[in-house]
Amino acid sequence: MLNTNEPALLVSSCDLYKDAWNPFFRLLEVNWKNCPKRIYLVTESEDYKDCTFNVQCIHSSSSVWSNRIIDALKQIEEDYIWFFLEDFFLEECVNEEIINRAVSTIINSNDIGVIKFIPNVSENWYDKNQVVNNYFSAIPKDYKARSNLMISLYKKDYFLKMLRKKETPWDFEKYGTYRSRK
């Protein structure tokens, strides 16, 4: 039986960027030893077989990024999703303590829909007085890049609520920021 509390890994891509898939998965193999067991690769029509991971390709006939992601999320059973773009290459080993705290934090909170992993965060990007589980803090509502496509851990329902059909990744970052303020 599938444990829907164990996050899946969703890799957003398109057929055009298939040359990035093998490097992505090789670096995932090296730098995230305990990465999710369920891995989904979203693309239009290309398939990918990996030598280490059981990657399930989810195809969407849509050429529109948000439509492909919405289609994929509706097919995924897990309630929590690690979101990556195919060119987010892990260059260092992940900190498993932070990963485990992120999963615990999002599962045990009714108020958190997404935890973003943003490198080199400036101090005006978060509220130092509202740190959750020693690592995480709310992004201020007035911040211009509140919704972005950095590596993130989403509650699937929240991600679906934030997405709109016919949006590019850049549209999602712009208009999703406005939606996230509500």
Side-chain angles (χ1 to χ4, degrees):
M1 189 166 142
L2 177 67
N3 177 1
T4 59
N5 277 345
E6 185 175 323
L9 174 61
L10 175 68
V11 182
S12 172
S13 190
C14 63
D15 291 354
L16 183 63
Y17 296 137
K18 69 182 181 181
D19 60 332
W21 300 346
N22 193 55
F24 174 89
F25 287 108
R26 297 296 58 81
L27 288 167
L28 182 69
E29 176 184 11
V30 169
N31 291 316
W32 194 356
K33 298 295 183 200
N34 296 313
C35 76
K37 312 249 181 310
R38 304 269 297 198
I39 300 175
Y40 302 95
L41 175 64
V42 182
T43 189
E44 296 98 341
S45 63
E46 291 285 338
D47 284 318
Y48 175 77
K49 300 284 185 210
D50 192 78
C51 60
T52 302
F53 301 109
N54 181 14
V55 177
Q56 181 179 339
C57 291
I58 298 178
H59 298 126
S60 173
S61 59
S62 179
S63 63
V64 179
W65 173 82
S66 65
N67 295 5
R68 287 196 306 273
I69 300 302
I70 291 168
D71 290 347
L73 289 171
K74 288 180 178 178
Q75 295 179 52
I76 293 173
E77 295 179 52
E78 288 84 358
D79 296 325
Y80 304 93
I81 306 293
W82 285 103
F83 178 82
F84 280 70
L85 295 172
E86 84 286 306
D87 62 352
F88 284 178
F89 299 128
L90 292 178
E91 296 176 352
E92 297 176 11
C93 288
V94 301
N95 182 323
E96 292 290 343
E97 178 186 348
I98 295 173
I99 296 296
N100 293 336
R101 284 194 188 198
V103 172
S104 172
T105 299
I106 203 163
I107 287 173
N108 294 311
S109 172
N110 293 329
D111 299 330
I112 298 173
V114 60
I115 296 176
K116 298 192 173 289
F117 289 77
I118 303 166
N120 305 318
V121 175
S122 63
E123 288 198 22
N124 68 337
W125 232 79
Y126 63 95
D127 185 342
K128 293 181 281 304
N129 298 315
Q130 294 183 358
V131 175
V132 177
N133 214 344
N134 293 330
Y135 289 107
F136 314 110
S137 179
I139 299 170
K141 283 191 175 194
D142 62 344
Y143 197 78
K144 290 180 182 175
R146 234 172 104 78
S147 181
N148 60 61
L149 292 174
M150 299 302 292
I151 294 172
S152 304
L153 175 60
Y154 277 97
K155 286 184 179 173
K156 180 174 69 174
D157 291 342
Y158 177 78
F159 201 5
L160 282 166
K161 190 165 71 169
M162 291 299 299
L163 289 161
R164 296 295 183 273
K165 289 190 175 215
K166 299 182 180 178
E167 284 189 337
T168 67
W170 303 275
D171 291 336
F172 174 77
E173 289 184 336
K174 179 178 180 179
Y175 301 114
T177 291
Y178 300 126
R179 292 191 291 269
S180 76
R181 292 176 180 152
K182 297 176 182 173

